Amino acid sequence: MIRAIVFIAFGLIFQTAAAQCTLTLSGHVNDIETKEHLSDAVIRIKELKITAITDKDGFYSFKGLCPGVYTLEVSHAGCVTAEKHIHLKTDLETDIDLSHAVTELQEVVIQGKASGAATPSAEVKGKALEATRGLSLAESIKKVSGVSMLQTGSNIYKPVIHGLHSNRVLILNNGVRQEGQQWGNEHAPEIDPFIANRISVIKGASAIRYGADAIGGVILVEPKLLRHDPGIDGEVNTALFSNNRMGVLSAMLEGNSERKPAFSWRVQGTVKRGGYAHTPNYWLANSANEEYNFSAAAGWKKQEWGTELFYSQFNTRLGIFAGSHIGNVTDLWNAILSKDPPDYIKNVGFSYNIDRPYQDIQHQLLKAKTWKNTGTIGRLNLVVSGQYNNRQEYDQKRFASSSNAPQLDLSIATGMAELVWDHFNTGDFRGTIGGSFMYQNNQYERRLFIPNYESTNTGLFVIEKWTKNKLDIEAGVRFDRKSIYNTTDNGAVRFYADRLFNNLSGNIGFNYRFTPAFRATVHASTAWRAPQVNELYADGLHHGAARIEKGNATLTPERANNIAANFIFSNSKWDIDAGIYHKEIDGFIFLEPTFPPELTIRGAFPAFRYTQTNARLSGLDFSAAYSFDAHFSSSLKASLLRAWDKTNKQWLIQMPADRYEAAVEYNFGNARKLNDTYIGINSTWVLQQTRVPATGNIEVPGTTVKQSDYLNPPPAYFLLGFEAGTKLKWKHNNVSFILAVTNLLNKAYRDYMNSFRYFSDEMGRNISLRIRIPFDIKHKHKS
């Protein structure tokens, strides 16, 4: 079957027509209101990765183009970035109108790079997002410079930004702060990436608009706006993966009523099922997974006001690798120090069965948003939301008489309200003033790991942006007050004191456009984060991470002071983004391995405890892409981090190693039936993490020096990948195909950021095929 898929895909790729690439595309970029020609606007043909800049009369021109279907991305300082699709058959002159940001701010969550954002950010959308369909949220954004993954086996992935993760990275799901049992090194965000039309990454504590505790950064999972023109359309996405024989099917249907044009709606659902993953040498026993998700949205939009409802449900069952839950300390050490799992684990065959240990997780989100224009100068927004997260964890049964019930049952309910006023028609200023309130109630059943507790968080913020000529200045301040109370065990005994934290955060950023092609940003911020309940009070087995964790009730809040600079250059040949950052984090909280490992009724596990130090994190993010011509391009990325424990004068543990990526791509142009056909090779080189504490308190059998971890960091590794895609014209839609291969050479390796590196290798070669089929049921263009 795989050979047939490869044969068909290559057949599609190389069916290109010998077109004469002599066409010209030109026109003007205008202000939609004043009809003024806009100079220094940037027009980019996304498929060809070439760029033109308008002259003083707002005129642009591309020459030597092949016939085909193209997407123009048009941006200008102070305007909302726009896209326009064109069918190029002969020389074409087409004008493009841009809306000024002051009249459209309500539709924009963050600005793209060309809009003059004063904060370091990046986006995953379009073809790049399509190429990740079927993967987790963290896997979808790991190609962004400075972003890596924290893994637990082959099923659980968490995003890491500049070495920071979990509660230091805030995720917004359709404008709502994602809240669940997301604490710690495990527990991936319960979000279906298929709902996203764009995923934005804001690095560092820049976006205090969303919360002071996001000192690592913010990830915005943004669906596209509800349909505004009459008709019904949708799409079907499918993804097939060879390694664990996983299949994914997702469908979306949306519409707008011609009789009631103010009303729009959308429904979406995803199913996923995968079996045991395979390393280059053995199957990973009990690593199967299942996922069932759906969402629905409806909106009513008038000229002066509008309202929207959104509901989503995420359901997953995850098998935990059987080789990570071990019966005694001797076998645990043997598993950690040997190169392979024991024979009874690695000699299993393939299966879709999910046995103990496993996890069942459900997350529900309900959001209601209402907005109203406040005259001509702004808009008032009210968002009310509720979330319910339930996590059941099933340990291995050590005795036949053991209960079939989950050993841990955690439920957390969250209610939030946010009132925000955006002002955008006040001269050179625009900004946001608002407040938020959040209440949480956490309950557990059976064994204790995280206690029962209640929590509230109140925040107030002001953010202003000033734009003048080539300079943008953005500044903000935020106050937060967080309380944790009624912290009890199931004996209803309040054995932890109530905790109250409050403090200020602030940021300021500068963006200066030296030329239309080159700009620079400098950003400084100070933010704080209160210790989370797991860091304070965890006590027992962290099931998915397969380790014992102990909290520390004496922890104090973190204070992060950050400065960053980015230099961005973009012209018809080059796209370069180089960023440097430096963070001083006082009271940095982290998990420290401790000795000895612990033997419990559930098995033997490595032991860890939460501790605190003063830390310094400095790094470099670099990405560069070069287009040799309209067909051939290459790219290079690098992410480097240095994390230092200032108190103990040693390197910090569990920080990402240096990472380099390179890729080359060839675009064949467009043919009669095939568009956007490309083929590419990519590579990833991750160095060995040598910057770890030299000594610690771990007494490893067979060694005389106490180590800082149960296992030293694994060696460096180099991976090759392949990707090819095309769009097949079908009626008036394009069906897209993407064939990809990861770990092309089937390399056996282990990643330092995977907690299961103690027990197994990473996944081997994986061939995937993604197909996206858009369709129209009823379509009518507005006249």
Side-chain angles (χ1 to χ4, degrees):
M1 176 182 176
I2 292 174
R3 289 182 179 178
I5 291 172
V6 173
F7 180 79
I8 292 170
F10 273 102
L12 288 173
I13 289 171
F14 291 108
Q15 287 183 40
T16 57
Q20 293 293 320
C21 300
T22 59
L23 303 182
T24 298
L25 171 66
S26 61
H28 290 86
V29 176
N30 308 313
D31 186 300
I32 195 171
E33 294 178 346
T34 66
K35 302 305 178 183
E36 175 189 2
H37 294 323
L38 298 176
S39 61
D40 295 333
V42 179
I43 305 94
R44 179 181 177 86
I45 301 180
K46 297 173 66 174
E47 291 79 6
L48 303 180
K49 297 182 180 178
I50 59 176
T51 301
I53 298 172
T54 57
D55 60 19
K56 61 183 178 62
D57 298 318
F59 181 77
Y60 71 93
S61 177
F62 294 96
K63 296 181 179 180
L65 300 181
C66 303
V69 179
Y70 298 107
T71 304
L72 303 184
E73 185 178 71
V74 189
S75 58
H76 185 266
C79 293
V80 176
T81 300
E83 288 190 354
K84 184 171 184 175
H85 299 277
I86 61 166
H87 293 256
L88 189 63
K89 299 177 181 179
T90 61
D91 290 346
L92 177 65
E93 184 169 341
T94 181
D95 290 348
I96 302 164
D97 294 332
L98 292 183
S99 299
H100 224 267
V102 294
T103 63
E104 296 291 337
L105 183 63
Q106 63 271 14
E107 303 292 358
V108 180
V109 179
I110 76 165
Q111 302 292 328
K113 288 195 293 186
S115 67
T119 57
S121 62
E123 294 180 344
V124 180
K125 59 183 180 180
K127 187 179 77 173
L129 185 59
E130 279 191 41
T132 68
R133 292 304 195 188
L135 302 177
S136 68
L137 175 65
E139 293 172 292
S140 299
I141 61 174
K142 70 177 183 179
K143 293 293 185 182
V144 174
S145 296
V147 178
S148 55
M149 292 192 308
L150 187 70
Q151 292 180 240
T152 305
S154 59
N155 285 333
I156 301 172
Y157 305 89
K158 300 191 75 166
V160 179
I161 303 176
H162 293 166
L164 304 177
H165 56 83
S166 302
N167 292 95
R168 298 187 185 96
V169 175
L170 178 59
I171 301 173
L172 265 73
N173 183 3
N174 193 11
V176 175
R177 176 178 171 135
Q178 179 82 4
E179 286 292 328
Q181 304 286 358
Q182 75 262 33
W183 34 258
N185 290 20
E186 198 232 327
H187 300 187
E190 299 92 354
I191 294 177
D192 180 2
F194 275 103
I195 72 170
N197 183 58
R198 175 177 65 178
I199 302 176
S200 303
V201 179
I202 305 176
K203 302 174 186 178
S206 307
I208 61 172
R209 156 73 175 80
Y210 304 107
D213 49 349
I215 61 178
V218 177
I219 298 170
L220 307 177
V221 181
E222 305 171 77
K224 65 178 180 179
L225 298 176
L226 290 172
R227 181 171 176 143
H228 60 82
D229 58 318
I232 299 174
D233 65 12
E235 65 181 46
V236 175
N237 285 274
T238 185
L240 304 172
F241 299 84
S242 68
N243 184 283
N244 58 349
R245 304 177 192 176
M246 184 170 73
V248 185
L249 179 66
S250 184
M252 182 273 290
L253 188 67
E254 63 180 354
N256 176 273
S257 172
E258 184 176 2
R259 293 184 178 181
K260 297 184 182 298
F263 178 69
S264 301
W265 55 271
R266 178 185 299 136
V267 292
Q268 176 267 340
T270 301
V271 294
K272 176 191 294 188
R273 189 185 187 198
Y276 292 1
H278 194 270
T279 75
N281 299 305
Y282 49 85
W283 293 102
L284 294 172
N286 200 47
S287 58
N289 65 89
E290 298 174 356
E291 195 173 298
Y292 308 94
N293 314 312
F294 69 91
S295 66
W300 186 274
K301 184 177 181 181
K302 303 294 284 185
Q303 185 173 355
E304 294 298 323
W305 66 277
T307 189
E308 180 181 323
L309 290 174
F310 174 79
Y311 174 79
S312 67
Q313 187 176 121
F314 179 98
N315 305 271
T316 188
R317 174 176 288 192
L318 301 171
I320 305 300
F321 174 52
S324 66
H325 284 229
I326 298 171
N328 60 72
V329 173
T330 300
D331 288 346
L332 173 65
W333 276 117
N334 288 337
I336 291 175
L337 298 178
S338 65
K339 293 183 178 180
D340 292 332
D343 289 342
Y344 75 94
I345 295 292
K346 73 175 185 177
N347 288 341
V348 301
F350 175 81
S351 176
Y352 284 103
N353 293 331
I354 300 177
D355 299 317
R356 292 172 179 259
Y358 72 89
Q359 301 178 352
D360 263 330
I361 304 109
Q362 182 185 92
H363 186 91
Q364 299 183 65
L365 166 66
L366 177 63
K367 164 196 169 184
K369 177 181 179 180
T370 299
W371 59 266
K372 188 179 188 309
N373 288 338
T374 53
T376 60
I377 64 169
R379 172 170 289 186
L380 191 65
N381 305 274
L382 174 65
V383 178
V384 179
S385 64
Q387 297 176 69
Y388 178 76
N389 183 278
N390 178 243
R391 169 178 289 272
Q392 295 180 328
E393 300 187 345
Y394 296 77
D395 295 341
Q396 281 187 339
K397 293 179 68 170
R398 298 298 177 186
F399 308 100
S401 59
S402 298
S403 169
N404 290 323
Q407 276 62 52
L408 178 63
D409 193 333
L410 282 166
S411 298
I412 185 168
T414 305
M416 288 186 284
E418 183 179 70
L419 183 64
V420 174
W421 181 61
D422 296 317
H423 70 87
F424 44 78
N425 197 13
T426 50
D428 298 326
F429 287 89
R430 63 182 187 270
T432 300
I433 302 170
S436 62
F437 176 79
M438 179 172 69
Y439 167 79
Q440 286 187 324
N441 184 299
N442 184 79
Q443 300 292 326
Y444 80 93
E445 295 183 18
R446 300 176 177 87
R447 68 173 168 86
L448 172 68
F449 180 58
I450 299 296
N452 306 315
Y453 69 90
E454 294 179 78
S455 175
T456 62
N457 194 104
T458 303
L460 300 171
F461 56 89
V462 178
I463 301 166
E464 291 293 324
K465 183 175 182 179
W466 178 78
T467 300
K468 196 71 171 179
N469 299 325
K470 297 183 177 182
L471 177 65
D472 305 302
I473 302 176
E474 185 177 62
V477 63
R478 181 183 179 104
F479 173 80
D480 283 272
R481 180 182 179 91
K482 181 181 179 66
S483 65
I484 303 173
Y485 57 98
N486 290 343
T487 310
T488 66
D489 64 8
N490 275 345
V493 176
R494 185 183 297 184
F495 58 101
Y496 300 123
D498 294 347
R499 306 295 296 269
L500 179 64
F501 310 95
N502 57 79
N503 218 319
L504 285 168
S505 302
N507 72 323
I508 185 168
F510 302 86
N511 176 77
Y512 189 79
R513 295 173 292 278
F514 293 91
T515 69
F518 175 65
R519 69 183 182 94
T521 68
V522 178
H523 182 270
S525 63
T526 180
W528 70 286
R529 184 184 74 91
Q532 298 299 304
V533 171
N534 64 303
E535 297 165 331
L536 293 167
Y537 307 129
D539 188 11
L541 174 62
H542 196 166
H543 180 264
R547 61 189 176 205
I548 302 296
E549 294 182 8
K550 300 286 187 180
N552 183 348
T554 67
L555 296 176
T556 58
E558 296 176 335
R559 167 62 67 176
N561 299 309
N562 174 64
I563 186 167
N566 276 71
F567 305 92
I568 299 108
F569 179 82
S570 179
N571 65 10
S572 60
K573 293 289 187 180
W574 286 99
D575 276 310
I576 299 175
D577 189 342
I580 55 175
Y581 59 91
H582 179 82
K583 305 174 190 288
E584 298 279 346
I585 306 179
D586 294 335
F588 180 77
I589 300 169
F590 67 102
L591 264 177
E592 180 182 44
T594 60
F595 188 82
E598 291 196 21
L599 178 64
T600 72
I601 194 173
R602 298 168 185 86
F605 301 95
F608 291 74
R609 68 182 177 192
Y610 282 100
T611 188
Q612 201 161 26
T613 191
N614 294 330
R616 179 176 69 241
L617 281 69
S618 303
L620 166 71
D621 296 337
F622 177 82
S623 65
Y626 181 75
S627 298
F628 294 91
D629 52 33
H631 300 285
F632 186 59
S633 62
S634 63
S635 64
L636 175 68
K637 295 180 182 178
S639 297
L640 287 73
L641 171 65
R642 303 292 179 265
W644 183 251
D645 182 339
K646 298 194 297 181
T647 302
N648 299 303
K649 295 180 171 52
Q650 61 184 5
W651 297 109
L652 277 173
I653 199 168
Q654 195 64 21
M655 289 290 167
D658 292 348
R659 182 185 186 93
Y660 302 91
E661 298 179 47
V664 293
E665 184 176 294
Y666 188 83
N667 291 273
F668 291 87
N670 297 325
R672 183 176 179 183
K673 288 291 186 180
L674 298 180
N675 299 315
D676 305 340
T677 304
Y678 71 94
I679 185 171
I681 297 290
N682 57 76
S683 63
T684 301
W685 183 28
V686 179
L687 303 187
Q688 183 177 25
Q689 180 55 285
T690 58
R691 287 169 290 278
V692 296
T695 61
N697 65 353
I698 308 299
E699 298 178 10
V700 179
T703 64
T704 57
V705 177
K706 291 184 178 181
Q707 298 179 178
S708 61
D709 202 346
Y710 287 87
L711 185 66
N712 287 326
Y717 61 87
F718 179 81
L719 303 178
L720 279 178
F722 167 84
E723 186 176 309
T726 191
K727 292 181 180 178
L728 176 64
K729 189 174 182 180
W730 178 58
K731 296 183 178 179
H732 55 274
N733 289 313
N734 286 312
V735 179
S736 66
F737 299 84
I738 298 178
L739 175 72
V741 186
T742 57
N743 197 356
L744 181 66
L745 302 180
N746 207 27
K747 170 77 173 178
Y749 71 100
R750 300 191 181 192
D751 190 279
Y752 180 62
M753 296 299 287
N754 190 338
S755 61
F756 277 18
R757 66 183 174 86
Y758 292 160
F759 309 112
S760 68
D761 291 339
E762 296 287 338
M763 187 182 292
R765 183 187 297 115
N766 196 9
I767 303 173
S768 62
L769 176 65
R770 296 174 173 87
I771 304 174
R772 175 180 174 269
I773 307 172
F775 59 86
D776 291 326
I777 295 178
K778 181 181 179 183
H779 186 78
K780 181 177 181 180
H781 289 287
K782 288 184 176 181
S783 58

